[in-house]
Amino acid sequence: MADKEHWEKVYLTKESTELSWFQEHADLSLKLIQATGADKAAPIIDVGGGTSPLASDLLGAGFKDVTVLDISGAALKRAQEKLGPLADKIIWIEADITQADLPKHHYEVWHDRAVFHFLTFDRDRHRYVQTVKRAVKPGGHVIVASFGLDGPKYCSGLEVVRYSPQTMHEEFGGDFELLTSTEETHHTPSGRDQEFIYCYCRKG
């Protein structure tokens, strides 16, 4: 995964609306999380949440236990400043997800939009999956979105790995049941279209 310095520079030199992954609202992510049937008090973590609107959208939908993890402290600070007093209702973690020490079997819902596809080394993907296994409750919900097979080969100047639902599930293995997948065409601020796939698995 790209080092912390890269992502700090991205968030220190660009406005949120200049970033290719920018969304006004995380409508599909919110819809998928709501569809899990998770209780409003269920612990939810948004991995790579940075300046994503998802945390705010979750609070607006009545969810009460929301954690945002990102490698970039600058991204988290920007998100906190935008949210104002609402930021106090969210748990913020500055960490590399391949090295993060998260509480065991704590989260009911794990959400990641556009982190996993940056993990181009087998060892980093393995560490990520092991972290999911440890941190998500048995029977918990895992939603991971990445570029689809027709998506970009590079993002933010970095190489990415593109997935189909099947190849994504193969990375996670038999401890996860693939329940559904959804495609989304993301329209970037620069006017380009990017194919995303969202995979929803249940942890065994």
Side-chain angles (χ1 to χ4, degrees), residues 24-162:
E24 197 71 49
H25 288 285
D27 294 329
L28 181 53
S29 293
L30 179 61
K31 178 181 177 181
L32 290 170
I33 291 171
Q34 290 175 318
T36 67
D39 187 86
K40 297 297 185 184
I44 300 172
I45 185 168
D46 184 21
V47 175
T51 57
S52 166
L54 179 59
S56 177
D57 290 344
L58 287 167
L59 291 180
F63 291 96
K64 304 180 186 307
D65 190 344
V66 179
T67 296
V68 175
L69 181 149
D70 202 280
I71 195 172
S72 169
L76 296 177
K77 182 179 179 181
R78 185 184 296 180
Q80 291 164 10
E81 290 173 348
K82 183 177 180 180
L83 283 172
L86 280 178
D88 293 337
K89 297 181 180 294
I90 296 169
I91 299 168
W92 306 90
I93 300 175
E94 182 180 340
D96 180 338
I97 192 56
T98 66
Q99 301 175 22
D101 184 15
L102 298 176
K104 185 176 181 180
H105 294 170
H106 178 70
Y107 300 103
E108 184 77 22
V109 179
W110 176 289
H111 174 271
D112 163 11
R113 177 181 180 268
V115 171
F116 192 72
H117 63 207
F118 282 110
L119 305 182
T120 56
F121 293 106
D122 289 341
R123 66 174 183 271
D124 288 336
R125 293 194 294 274
H126 176 74
R127 289 171 182 165
Y128 180 107
V129 172
Q130 292 305 308
T131 300
V132 177
K133 287 181 179 180
R134 184 179 189 280
V136 176
K137 296 177 180 180
H141 313 279
V142 180
I143 299 166
V144 177
S146 73
F147 286 145
L149 296 179
D150 292 326
K153 296 180 180 179
Y154 293 87
C155 182
S156 189
L158 302 173
E159 187 177 1
V160 299
V161 181
R162 299 177 296 175

Side-chain angles (χ1 to χ4, degrees), residues 12-37:
L12 288 170
T13 59
K14 292 186 177 183
E15 295 297 324
S16 296
T17 52
E18 296 179 284
L19 302 172
S20 65
W21 53 89
F22 172 78
Q23 294 177 303
E24 197 71 49
H25 288 285
D27 294 329
L28 181 53
S29 293
L30 179 61
K31 178 181 177 181
L32 290 170
I33 291 171
Q34 290 175 318
T36 67

